[in-house]
Amino acid sequence: MFSDVLKRINAHDIYKRHIDIFHAVTYDNVDGLVAAFVRNQPFDVKDKNGNTVLHLAAKLNRRLLVRAICVYATHLDLFKIKNNEGKEPIELTEDPNIKRDLQSLSTVRSTVDSHHMACGGIMASSMSVGIDLADALRIYIVIRRRIFGGNTQMFPKHSSIGIETVLQEVMGAKTPIAKCTAHRLVVTTAKVTLAPPQLILFRSYAPRIDPKEFEQLGYFNPNKILLWKAIRCTSAAPVYFQSFNGMADGAIFCNNPCIMVMTEFAKLKKIENYRGKNNTDEIGCVISIGTGIEPSAPINGIDINLTHGITGITGNWKECTSSHNVHVGQSREWSHSMQVPFFRFSPHLAAPFELDNCKIEDITNAMFDNEVYIRSQINQQISDLCRLLKSMPRNTEPCQYRKITGYTGNSQKVVESPNQIGK
């Protein structure tokens, strides 16, 4: 029921009680539904009348629960299932908003294997150690309040203790980034102790040359970089968390790192070919996955100051580091100039969503926006991408969480000293 990574963060202790999902819907308990998702309980159960929990939520006109069931039931199309009377959930509700929500999901969805998807430093790292997308969501639900909290000061908003402890628990306190071999991983960060700040890349790989030459070519030895510390650096979003050993969020330079990744690919290939290593790799396609495009709103310029309080700062910072528009256009043109297919996926959100928003209602609504986007707006693009990926050589190297992180099956809460990036 619980995967290794969920056991490692003690999810099996926190969510040890079985949840009756029909009972949760009856009593308007969205937390109960979420708990059932964390426990990996089935959502496709039916009552004696053939009703699913979605039928019941629709009949009771509970919009948030309808949305929660649709997003936490993962691959299930419960909105299409008919009960014993031949009725779908949409036919049982009197709420026009619920009818509109369910109607928006009617487009048949294509799927992409999870090993092809990664966005953001934490998500990309999760994929690289063998954590699938569903478990990544479960992890966030379990530990979200441990990450965002614990600070008594106004600035930064949150203590770093929570995120550092969680990263060590999930990724392993002693895991070097070099162990991420099934997928090549690049973690972006910014060295903010210099003026101007300097882009720093932590890579799970290095050129096939003498390690003594790494530094002069701009590489670190991946065996000497701890994965959790690299992620802590890229997670140090200004205002939210303090910098880590002089390193802050890579979004200062490349909130959309597509061009950086293409540059990295060309650089590595050039170095290895120059040294006679015969690197014949080619870029098959570029997939850019965004975290959502929020409604446009006026801001007070780009000055980072305390004039308008902490909310004003975070709003301005978020707009200044937008990951779409210009960045996407440049990446697309570079890809097309190399005759490489380019795919960009980023849903339009109905409401702004702050980085540290822990409210399950807001998380669910944002996820529902994404579900509608996948089913109704990019269905053809995903189908095209699936056909393209199936035509390419598949990565067959195993990506095993236990092997990479050294997890033995027991909870391991080891907090390492943050004084150095490496071991």
Side-chain angles (χ1 to χ4, degrees), residues 227-243:
L227 178 59
W228 81 263
K229 291 187 178 182
I231 303 171
R232 170 64 179 91
C233 290
T234 199
S235 301
V239 176
Y240 294 98
F241 296 106
Q242 68 181 95
S243 60

Side-chain angles (χ1 to χ4, degrees), residues 58 142 323 337:
V142 174
S323 64
S337 70

Side-chain angles (χ1 to χ4, degrees), residues 158-400:
H158 305 287
S159 167
S160 301
I161 296 175
I163 190 171
E164 291 176 8
T165 303
V166 164
L167 287 176
Q168 291 179 65
E169 290 176 11
V170 173
M171 301 298 174
K174 298 291 187 179
T175 305
I177 197 171
K179 280 203 169 185
C180 301
T181 57
H183 315 282
R184 287 184 176 178
L185 173 67
V186 183
V187 177
T188 64
T189 186
K191 190 170 185 178
V192 293
T193 55
L194 298 177
Q198 178 183 352
L199 176 65
I200 300 294
L201 303 179
F202 296 122
R203 308 166 177 89
S204 64
Y205 59 91
R208 291 174 290 173
I209 59 176
D210 189 332
K212 295 179 181 179
E213 300 179 84
F214 285 169
E215 186 174 350
Q216 68 184 72
L217 293 173
Y219 288 85
F220 295 104
N221 188 331
N223 289 298
K224 297 182 178 180
I225 302 296
L226 292 179
L227 178 59
W228 81 263
K229 291 187 178 182
I231 303 171
R232 170 64 179 91
C233 290
T234 199
S235 301
V239 176
Y240 294 98
F241 296 106
Q242 68 181 95
S243 60
F244 184 80
N245 294 324
M247 306 287 186
D249 189 356
I252 294 174
F253 288 101
C254 50
N255 204 18
N256 185 324
C258 282
I259 293 179
M260 179 277 296
V261 170
M262 287 185 279
T263 303
E264 267 292 293
F265 178 87
K267 177 182 178 180
L268 181 68
K269 187 172 182 177
K270 180 178 68 175
I271 292 173
E272 293 195 336
N273 283 333
Y274 181 76
R275 296 301 178 88
K277 298 300 181 181
N278 191 29
N279 185 326
T280 60
D281 292 343
E282 299 291 341
I283 298 177
C285 68
V286 176
I287 308 171
S288 174
I289 303 176
T291 55
I293 302 172
E294 298 181 352
S296 298
I299 63 174
N300 299 318
I302 63 173
D303 289 337
I304 306 300
N305 56 65
L306 294 173
T307 305
H308 301 287
I310 209 75
T311 303
I313 297 176
T314 55
N316 289 0
W317 170 255
K318 185 165 51 180
E319 293 300 320
C320 296
T321 57
S322 169
S323 64
H324 46 278
N325 297 333
V326 173
H327 302 281
V328 172
Q330 291 174 338
S331 301
R332 181 182 289 110
E333 292 305 317
W334 272 107
S335 297
H336 290 173
S337 70
M338 297 184 294
Q339 298 183 327
V340 171
F342 179 89
F343 295 86
R344 170 67 177 178
F345 303 118
S346 191
H348 286 267
L349 302 178
F353 191 90
E354 290 291 339
L355 174 67
D356 56 350
N357 189 338
C358 293
K359 296 179 180 178
I360 202 64
E361 296 86 354
D362 293 342
I363 294 171
T364 298
N365 285 326
M367 289 176 59
F368 187 81
D369 290 342
N370 185 63
E371 192 73 14
V372 171
Y373 171 75
I374 292 173
R375 292 175 180 268
S376 63
Q377 298 182 41
I378 58 171
N379 183 266
Q380 185 58 52
Q381 294 96 310
I382 291 182
S383 296
D384 293 341
L385 176 58
C386 286
R387 286 194 296 271
L388 176 62
L389 292 175
K390 287 178 181 179
S391 70
M392 297 178 180
R394 188 179 179 88
N395 182 6
T396 58
E397 181 178 342
C399 190
Q400 301 172 347

Side-chain angles (χ1 to χ4, degrees), residues 3-15:
S3 64
D4 284 337
V5 66
L6 289 170
K7 291 177 182 177
R8 197 168 191 171
I9 60 173
N10 291 320
H12 57 307
D13 289 335
I14 301 171
Y15 293 94

Side-chain angles (χ1 to χ4, degrees), residues 99-120:
K99 287 182 180 291
R100 186 170 60 252
D101 286 346
L102 293 177
Q103 185 63 42
S104 67
L105 298 175
S106 61
T107 302
V108 177
R109 175 177 58 174
S110 298
T111 59
V112 181
D113 289 345
S114 64
H115 77 284
H116 289 303
M117 300 178 65
C119 57

Side-chain angles (χ1 to χ4, degrees), residues 69-87:
I69 293 166
C70 289
V71 298
Y72 296 115
T74 58
H75 64 285
L76 300 174
D77 289 340
L78 295 181
F79 61 92
K80 295 181 180 180
I81 295 179
K82 296 180 179 181
N83 62 14
N84 294 347
E85 297 180 354
K87 293 185 177 181

